[in-house]
Amino acid sequence: MSTRYPFTAVVGMDDLRLALLLNAVSPAVGGVLVRGEKGTAKSTAVRALADLMPEVPVVAGCRFSCDPLSPDPQCPDGRHDAGPAESRPARMVELPVGASEDRLVGALDIERALAEGVKAFEPGLLAAAHRGILYVDEVNLLHDHLVDVLLDAAAMGASYVEREGVSVRHAARFLLVGTMNPEEGELRPQLLDRFGLTVEVAASRDPEQRVAVVRRRLAYDDDPAGFAARWADEERQLRERIALARELLPQVRLGDAALRQIAATCAAFEVDGMRADIVMARTATALAAWDGRTEVLPEDVRQAALLALPHRRRRNPFDAPGLDEDKLDQVLEESGGQDPDGDDDPDPEPEGPDGGPDGGPGGGPGGLPPQDGGPREQPADAPAPELPRQPEPERPARAEDPEREPAASGPGREQAAVGATEPFRTRRLDVPGLGEGADGRRSRARTAHGRTTGARRPHGALGKLHLAATVQAAAPHQWARGRRGPGLVVRRDDLREAVREGREGNLVLFVVDASGSMAARKRMGAVKGAVLSLLLDAYQRRDKIGMITFRGSGAELALPPTSSVEAGAARLAQLPTGGRTPLSEGLLRAHEVLRVERMRDPSRRPLLVVVTDGRATGGPDPLGRAHRAAGLLAGGGVASVVVDCEAGPVRLGLAGELARELGGTAVTLDELRADSVSALVRTVQGRPVRGGSSAGRGRDHDHVNREKAA
């Protein structure tokens, strides 16, 4: 077994170390979510925590780590009477992002269950993590169905495996620790709320601290055992302090004044549900025990709020986690003045930014610096975009024709970015056909979860058993196999697995026209509002997104394909406009991006969303070149939709012609809304589009009528 990097040798990151130690003192706090940029030792610190955890007493020979003092009466290994016990180190189990559900919850031998009537169960990672640490690196990239299993296990403290009437249950109580890079996408709110605490980490900008990090890392790489030995005394002292804090924890008193401050804080910040109140109470109690006290003080409540509330205040995917510390201090001061015990000084040690890094009076709990301001609260890479609601800039006094490209605009003339209008709920845009991509909520696909549509012979390990098809395959051979009793004689060749149909996530690539013809203020604000709405829809449907913008003389990949819609919202908010309309360049850039992404992830199908009025300017035959580029995309089988941004009483229908060349569909900004009269769920198929022949429009109306009837 390799030597882990010592926890006490981690440089800086006081918030992260404190949050992990509080969970070591009181696992009931509920785990830690570590958010931060790559290369900040998130995983190193989490893995080092396992060596500080006290040993766990277990029933000898039990695969599910039952406690000898209170064994699980439903343990799959049978009832445990008084017998030999043993102690072992607390386990830290890592859940890979690409793990299967069977690897997580355990595998049940269906063949033996059908043929012999026995529950042959192989425990999974949840069983191994019981009474230990379950660590998920890049937790935001975890598949949705694994997230659902984690949610169930974390809520119930047990894991259930149900397959074709065969049921296995075992205890699964663990400390959940996850790390993530916000640039790669956010977590679902349900899983986000399951983490008791959250911390933001970023690389230090202090040269001396960076030098210390490099020195220690190089020394560890040269001689891991020798480096760990040099930190053995500090590790031992920290381990003893955790044990003492655990012993003191039951004696800590959480008074009415502290409880009132906790309740007032959660109410003031409008967090959902009551989990935040409970987590804050447990965290404040653990802080007092960690500091060697038996009374919870106001600074414990403040520190608990800074750790437990930031990730619970998000109201939509584009909100950055965070907490207004001035408001927090005001709430604590107001609620602290209502002490029913009549204390003259409800806040004997007011918090302030003068607490030194060496702890002591004015420092943070346990000798760690408090989170009072400082660069740690707002790391440089923290996702900052919020739903843009700023007022629109004043328009020039002279009248402008929004349909005519301004004469003053050109490659050298650029207008400042404008804010987006209020986002809205969009209609669903699907990719036609049946895919086999990652689980999501957009297009039809063969998935591990969903409704059963058929059966097939298993390829490799058996997935979800199709019981009826298995019995049907085995039934004709029972006499030849010598069946004489009631049991069914099943062979491996008889097994059939279910074919299921669900939904997949797609790659939604936005191609946004930012040229002068789109630069009218109100018009561009509406366009940005529509794209922002589509970004929100992509977040909810678990898509990857990318964004290409074109203006002036070329196209730019503003956002490479990613799972982070926050990054897309940020790029959209900063998008300037002006210049000519190189539509062909934008489409050709989209073709190249999709070609590369198809090689990287061939199972994820793309959906191209072109946001334009259809105009093309610059160079010889700009419109013809744009249509030839569209034909290139259509020839590659790319599903497309054109959001027609043309406005005014006279319309040229150029966006409809572009959609026809792409083999896709054109929708106006109004039709994009899910609450509009004509906004029905429509599959993106190569049928006649707006601007086509009257016969084509008639067939389109027939399709809508069929959808209404369905």
Side-chain angles (χ1 to χ4, degrees):
M1 181 178 177
S2 60
T3 303
R4 289 194 180 102
Y5 193 92
F7 189 87
T8 50
V10 175
V11 178
M13 297 204 300
D14 303 299
D15 302 338
L16 171 58
R17 291 189 292 121
L18 177 60
L20 292 173
L21 290 171
L22 291 177
N23 275 274
V25 171
S26 175
V29 166
V32 186
L33 175 63
V34 188
R35 300 165 47 91
E37 59 194 13
K38 52 188 176 294
T40 50
K42 302 186 297 291
S43 301
T44 299
V46 174
R47 292 189 177 100
L49 177 68
D51 291 335
L52 300 177
M53 301 289 286
E55 289 194 341
V56 179
V58 297
V59 174
C62 178
R63 298 176 299 165
F64 299 88
S65 303
C66 281
D67 188 345
L69 299 179
S70 58
D72 183 3
Q74 301 181 38
C75 177
D77 280 355
R79 295 182 59 87
H80 301 298
D81 299 325
E86 59 185 18
S87 294
R88 62 163 175 77
R91 292 173 179 160
M92 192 194 72
V93 178
E94 296 193 36
L95 173 60
V97 170
S100 65
E101 185 174 346
D102 282 349
R103 183 73 185 98
L104 179 60
V105 302
L108 193 63
D109 192 333
I110 295 297
E111 186 175 359
R112 289 189 61 192
L114 290 175
E116 304 174 26
V118 298
K119 296 180 181 179
F121 181 69
E122 184 65 28
L125 296 178
L126 290 179
H130 179 46
R131 305 177 66 200
I133 302 172
L134 181 61
Y135 171 48
V136 188
D137 194 13
E138 305 294 350
V139 64
N140 52 322
L141 303 182
L142 203 62
H143 288 301
D144 275 1
H145 67 282
L146 296 183
V147 170
D148 294 334
V149 172
L150 275 181
L151 287 176
D152 291 341
M156 297 183 294
S159 174
Y160 293 84
V161 182
E162 301 277 354
R163 296 183 65 180
E164 283 69 43
V166 181
S167 175
V168 175
R169 173 217 170 270
H170 64 82
R173 291 182 294 275
F174 46 81
L175 170 60
L176 182 60
V177 181
T179 58
M180 60 174 284
N181 184 347
E183 294 177 354
E184 297 172 339
E186 283 292 348
L187 281 175
R188 286 169 51 186
Q190 296 93 328
L191 183 58
L192 195 64
D193 190 49
R194 291 293 179 186
F195 287 97
L197 310 179
T198 185
V199 291
E200 297 273 353
V201 296
S204 172
R205 301 298 182 253
D206 179 10
E208 292 300 322
Q209 197 171 73
R210 297 175 75 96
V211 167
V213 171
V214 175
R215 278 206 184 104
R216 292 186 186 182
R217 186 68 208 190
L218 293 178
Y220 171 76
D221 291 340
D222 290 340
D223 183 11
F227 183 82
R230 290 196 292 273
W231 292 88
D233 288 342
E234 287 81 354
E235 292 282 289
R236 177 183 52 79
Q237 293 172 12
L238 192 57
R239 195 177 297 110
E240 292 174 353
R241 184 172 177 182
I242 292 173
L244 291 174
R246 281 193 169 193
E247 293 178 4
L248 184 61
L249 186 64
Q251 306 173 33
V252 177
R253 176 181 175 271
L254 182 64
D256 290 342
L259 272 174
R260 186 166 281 103
Q261 285 185 316
I262 290 172
T265 301
C266 292
F269 284 100
E270 299 180 348
V271 296
D272 295 331
M274 294 297 297
R275 183 174 282 116
D277 303 64
I278 297 171
V279 171
M280 274 190 65
R282 290 171 174 166
T283 305
T285 304
L287 280 162
W290 177 246
D291 213 24
R293 292 182 274 104
T294 58
E295 185 77 19
V296 173
L297 300 179
E299 57 261 35
D300 298 327
V301 176
R302 186 183 194 279
Q303 185 76 50
L306 291 172
L307 292 172
L309 296 187
H311 61 300
R312 292 185 166 89
R313 295 201 61 246
R314 298 187 65 193
R315 286 291 177 261
N316 60 72
F318 303 143
D319 287 341
L323 211 62
D324 185 341
E325 294 193 35
D326 292 335
K327 179 179 178 180
L328 174 61
D329 291 333
Q330 180 182 354
V331 171
L332 291 174
E333 183 178 355
E334 292 174 354
S335 58
Q338 302 173 1
D339 187 1
D341 296 332
D343 293 342
D344 293 333
D345 188 8
D347 190 6
E349 296 180 19
E351 297 286 37
D354 55 348
D358 55 348
L368 292 175
Q371 296 182 336
D372 297 36
R376 294 194 310 276
E377 284 304 300
Q378 295 294 334
D381 68 320
E386 296 186 359
L387 289 177
R389 298 181 183 178
Q390 62 267 32
E392 297 175 0
E394 295 183 3
R395 301 188 63 180
R398 61 183 178 86
E400 292 184 353
D401 180 6
E403 289 302 308
R404 185 182 62 206
E405 188 170 340
S409 67
R413 296 297 299 269
E414 181 177 292
Q415 301 186 31
V418 299
T421 58
E422 188 74 17
F424 50 85
R425 187 168 64 90
T426 66
R427 53 198 289 189
R428 188 177 71 208
L429 304 172
D430 295 351
V431 177
L434 196 63
E436 295 184 351
D439 285 352
R441 301 176 183 175
R442 184 172 295 279
S443 305
R444 294 174 54 223
R446 293 187 181 95
T447 60
H449 301 81
R451 62 186 182 91
T452 301
T453 59
R456 66 182 178 187
R457 292 180 182 270
H459 303 291
L462 177 67
K464 186 72 174 178
L465 180 76
H466 195 297
L467 184 59
T470 299
V471 173
Q472 186 177 9
H477 309 290
Q478 295 305 294
W479 182 261
R481 293 174 183 174
R483 174 187 171 186
R484 297 297 181 266
L488 187 68
V489 181
V490 180
R491 302 278 175 83
R492 181 71 186 176
D493 290 342
D494 301 328
L495 297 179
R496 299 291 185 270
E497 66 180 4
V499 176
R500 298 187 162 212
E501 182 178 312
R503 294 275 171 182
E504 67 176 359
N506 299 110
L507 168 60
V508 182
L509 182 62
F510 295 93
V511 180
V512 182
D513 185 349
S515 64
S517 65
M518 301 279 289
R521 293 294 178 176
K522 289 184 179 180
R523 186 173 171 193
M524 197 61 197
V527 169
K528 285 190 174 183
V531 177
L532 197 64
S533 304
L534 290 168
L535 284 172
L536 180 59
D537 181 69
Y539 168 82
Q540 294 169 340
R541 300 193 186 280
R542 318 306 294 169
D543 294 318
K544 288 182 67 175
I545 63 158
M547 186 182 298
I548 293 171
T549 61
F550 60 93
R551 62 188 180 89
S553 59
E556 175 190 2
L557 180 59
L559 181 68
T562 175
S563 297
S564 175
V565 294
E566 292 84 355
R571 304 295 167 85
L572 182 68
Q574 300 164 4
L575 178 64
T577 56
R580 295 187 178 276
T581 312
L583 178 57
S584 60
E585 298 298 322
L587 297 177
L588 290 174
R589 190 64 185 272
H591 178 267
E592 178 63 19
V593 170
L594 293 178
R595 183 186 67 82
V596 173
E597 286 300 310
R598 188 177 291 113
M599 291 189 293
R600 290 177 177 171
D601 189 359
S603 64
R604 188 180 288 270
R605 297 186 295 164
L607 173 62
L608 183 68
V609 179
V610 184
V611 185
T612 182
D613 57 6
R615 296 182 179 221
T617 58
D621 191 20
L623 200 56
R625 286 191 292 114
H627 286 180
R628 288 191 290 273
L632 189 63
L633 286 163
V638 178
S640 306
V641 59
V642 177
V643 179
D644 185 357
C645 302
E646 193 173 23
V650 178
R651 304 195 180 194
L652 303 178
L654 297 177
E657 294 179 11
L658 176 63
R660 184 164 51 250
E661 294 294 333
L662 286 168
T665 299
V667 295
T668 65
L669 290 176
D670 290 337
E671 291 173 338
L672 193 62
R673 293 178 177 269
D675 54 358
S676 66
V677 175
S678 61
L680 302 172
V681 176
R682 179 187 298 177
T683 302
V684 181
Q685 297 174 337
R687 59 177 179 270
V689 296
R690 182 175 300 276
S693 65
S694 58
R697 287 194 295 272
R699 287 193 296 271
D700 196 43
H701 286 308
D702 290 342
H703 177 79
V704 171
N705 291 332
R706 287 195 299 272
E707 285 185 333
K708 287 181 178 180

